[in-house]
Amino acid sequence: MTVWPVHARFDGPIVMIGFGSIGRGTLPLLERHIAFDASKFVVIDPIDTDRALLDERKLRFIQASITRENYRELLTPLLKTGPGRGMIVNLSVDTSSADLMNLCKDLDAYYIDTVCEPWPGLYSDPSLPISARSNYTLRERVLDVRRKRPGGVTAVSCCGANPGMVSWFVKQALLDIARDTGVSVPEPNNREDWGRLMQRLGVKGIHIAERDTQRARDPKPRGVFVNTWSVEGFVSEGLQPAELGFGTHEKALPPDGHRHDFGNDAAIYLSQPGAGTRVRSWTPTAQAQHGFLVTHNESISIADYFTVRKGDKAVYRPTCHYAYHPCDDAVLSLHEMAGASWTRQPAWKILDEKEIVDGIDELGVLLYGHAKNAYWYGSSLSIEETRRLAPYQNATGLQVTSAVLAGIVWMLENPDRGVIEADEMDFRRCLEVQRPYLGKVFGAYTDWTPLHGRPGLFPEELDRDDPWQFSNVLVR
């Protein structure tokens, strides 16, 4: 039997909001690595599908939805049972991250989530401007909490696989590229120095490049959206506008590209859904591939974090965006949904570890434009290894749940850091906690560029002077 290290002890109340695929997978990791009082652990979810897992552990379950109207009344007494601070582990959808953070500030309680979420309705409200439905806007709402209420109890924003883990991968990848190109510099210890290192190495941009090859035992039925992680989450972000951090090397906005009229100006959005926007990218197993440019918080936070400014002017910023090829069943589900004018299928299913016959989730960061062209660094985790490592989840889920674990450990070790993004955390410590669950973690250089094999049978407008212009990456 494996002896699992206990990384932290927490004696206060823990409230886990959401017990879907990620909540179910996070629980056993907390049991292994966090010493907590089970009598003060409570799970809240509107659905009781997996309640048996909690009942057999004698953990309290509340079947309820967290809403704008009831969140303070429902959560406050649960977080004040003591001793000391409470903790919210928010693994749900349709719960406002900013409002829950403010509540935790009021109660001096810890907070962690995997995504910036709003209350229901924002993603699907056509009366709102496109900018208002963006992740850029949701992130600004969370940063407003930090601006208005700096310091205090730690609240970790967006700490899953991506956003989250990939921000830690970026820093390790930068150090690898510096080593391999003969750039000798002390390891940066602040935001400004990390930005200057990326600038010095000539990195033009970053793809969060992922390929999920997990394959189900049974074919996808018609009228069912099938995925390896939250269908509600994937559909919501897929119907948001495509978004990307927009680098200083870019020559022009893409077609339908727009800037926001507020905030830090680190990102732009396209007037089309991310689920209908494809980009060229590369991962070690798939090699060249088309991925979906689905909006994600890390596309904005990474671009913002590595911005180098001279006064108020951004003199360097990398382009950054997701380039996601989900499992084949999810791709088919997206095509089916798009054909129905982006109306989600009436039924949905998340593939669990028992239904998947084989495959991997290969998730990493592709840093491009530097002296060695492009470098992918990340995790390649198979369903077979996932089964050996942890229960109740597939490979996609374990990359997320292990990042949640790492975020909680770091939070407890850094209890008074205020609102924090993954980019600002100690990447070495977080990966130290998470790495036992990531399968093969490695880096790979490639000479691939978005111009590879182009033009083919049809003429194209290409920027041959700079292969890494976003105009070459975007699939038209």
Side-chain angles (χ1 to χ4, degrees):
M1 292 181 63
T2 301
V3 178
W4 300 101
V6 176
H7 294 299
R9 180 177 184 86
F10 186 72
D11 294 319
I14 300 175
V15 180
M16 179 182 286
I17 303 175
F19 202 61
S21 60
I22 301 305
R24 188 174 66 243
T26 298
L27 178 60
L29 302 190
L30 297 183
E31 291 176 318
R32 286 176 181 177
H33 300 288
I34 307 289
F36 64 87
D37 185 344
S39 69
K40 294 184 173 65
F41 192 103
V42 60
V43 173
I44 304 175
D45 195 288
I47 301 172
D48 66 351
T49 305
D50 292 301
R51 180 171 184 167
L53 295 178
L54 302 171
D55 290 344
E56 68 187 24
R57 291 166 166 81
K58 296 181 171 57
L59 297 176
R60 184 181 176 190
F61 175 73
I62 298 175
Q63 187 171 356
S65 295
I66 303 291
T67 68
R68 189 195 305 265
E69 293 74 27
N70 74 5
Y71 76 98
R72 284 187 171 270
E73 179 182 3
L74 180 55
L75 296 173
T76 297
L78 298 174
L79 292 167
K80 294 182 70 175
T81 59
R85 288 171 164 169
M87 179 194 302
I88 285 181
V89 181
N90 184 9
L91 306 176
S92 67
V93 297
D94 291 338
T95 54
S96 169
S97 300
D99 282 351
L100 292 182
M101 282 184 184
N102 270 316
L103 173 64
C104 285
K105 285 277 192 182
D106 293 342
L107 301 177
D108 193 38
Y110 294 105
Y111 175 88
I112 187 169
D113 62 26
T114 60
V115 63
C116 285
E117 276 286 315
W119 295 118
L122 181 136
Y123 299 134
S124 57
D125 186 349
S127 69
L128 291 174
I130 295 175
S131 173
R133 305 198 301 266
S134 68
N135 260 309
Y136 182 94
T137 292
L138 292 173
R139 177 174 181 256
E140 284 296 317
R141 290 181 182 178
V142 168
L143 293 180
D144 274 343
V145 177
R146 177 159 71 181
R147 287 186 282 260
K148 293 173 181 176
R149 307 180 71 172
V153 62
T154 301
V156 179
S157 174
C158 295
C159 190
N162 57 316
M165 172 188 73
V166 293
S167 290
W168 310 329
F169 283 168
V170 168
K171 290 183 176 179
Q172 184 59 62
L174 278 176
L175 296 178
D176 290 356
I177 295 167
R179 177 199 64 210
D180 297 341
T181 56
V183 176
S184 179
V185 294
E187 182 169 310
N189 59 16
N190 59 57
R191 178 178 187 151
E192 291 72 22
D193 287 348
W194 279 110
R196 282 191 284 268
L197 175 59
M198 187 176 281
Q199 181 186 31
R200 179 177 175 181
L201 293 176
V203 174
K204 292 183 176 179
I206 303 159
H207 290 176
I208 314 303
E210 180 175 7
R211 181 61 175 259
D212 184 349
T213 67
Q214 291 172 102
R215 190 166 56 94
R217 178 188 62 231
D218 301 318
K220 186 194 96 63
R222 290 192 306 272
V224 179
F225 197 116
V226 177
N227 197 20
T228 54
W229 57 283
S230 171
V231 171
E232 294 168 294
F234 188 25
V235 169
S236 294
E237 67 188 29
L239 295 184
Q240 287 180 267
E243 294 182 79
L244 62 152
F246 204 60
T248 48
H249 78 286
E250 303 288 0
K251 298 176 183 177
L253 286 173
D256 286 333
H258 306 276
R259 294 190 180 276
H260 301 271
D261 59 7
F262 64 98
N264 55 52
D265 199 36
I268 65 170
Y269 64 93
L270 310 184
S271 297
Q272 58 192 59
T277 305
R278 293 183 301 159
V279 287
R280 297 172 177 87
S281 191
W282 186 93
T283 60
T285 295
Q287 303 286 295
Q289 65 178 21
H290 283 184
F292 293 99
L293 198 166
V294 176
T295 178
H296 257 216
N297 179 275
E298 77 273 9
S299 302
I300 306 159
S301 72
I302 291 173
D304 186 19
Y305 183 85
F306 289 96
T307 296
V308 176
R309 294 186 180 275
K310 187 174 183 179
D312 293 333
K313 180 178 174 58
V315 296
Y316 169 78
R317 176 182 290 132
T319 291
C320 185
H321 60 79
Y322 201 9
Y324 179 36
H325 193 303
C327 73
D328 291 348
D329 280 347
V331 173
L332 182 57
S333 298
L334 284 176
H335 288 324
E336 188 177 60
M337 191 174 79
S341 300
W342 297 112
T343 300
R344 199 192 76 185
Q345 292 87 331
W348 55 268
K349 181 174 185 55
I350 300 173
L351 297 174
D352 67 31
E353 68 278 10
K354 298 174 185 176
E355 299 170 291
I356 297 173
V357 295
D358 57 26
I360 64 171
D361 200 316
E362 194 163 72
L363 170 59
V365 293
L366 182 75
L367 279 67
Y368 58 80
H370 48 79
K372 292 180 73 67
N373 186 55
Y375 179 65
W376 185 96
Y377 183 87
S379 160
S380 182
L381 179 63
S382 72
I383 183 61
E384 293 83 5
E385 185 159 11
T386 298
R387 292 189 185 108
R388 291 194 296 269
L389 289 171
Y392 315 141
Q393 55 205 305
N394 58 39
T396 307
L398 186 54
Q399 290 170 331
V400 178
T401 60
S402 56
V404 175
L405 169 68
I408 291 173
V409 171
W410 184 90
M411 178 170 65
L412 295 177
E413 294 173 346
N414 298 267
D416 296 293
R417 295 287 298 274
V419 176
I420 287 287
E421 295 184 294
D423 313 272
E424 300 163 315
M425 300 164 75
D426 180 349
F427 79 102
R428 290 194 182 280
R429 176 56 174 153
C430 290
L431 288 179
E432 178 185 34
V433 173
Q434 188 183 13
R435 191 158 182 163
Y437 293 106
L438 293 181
K440 183 181 179 183
V441 178
F442 67 102
Y445 287 100
T446 176
D447 61 2
W448 175 86
T449 78
L451 295 183
H452 184 76
R454 301 168 68 196
L457 298 175
F458 301 92
E460 295 185 82
E461 290 185 15
L462 302 174
D463 189 328
R464 295 192 173 277
D465 295 330
D466 182 1
W468 295 108
Q469 285 292 303
F470 182 69
S471 61
N472 291 332
V473 173
L474 185 63
V475 178
R476 297 189 179 90

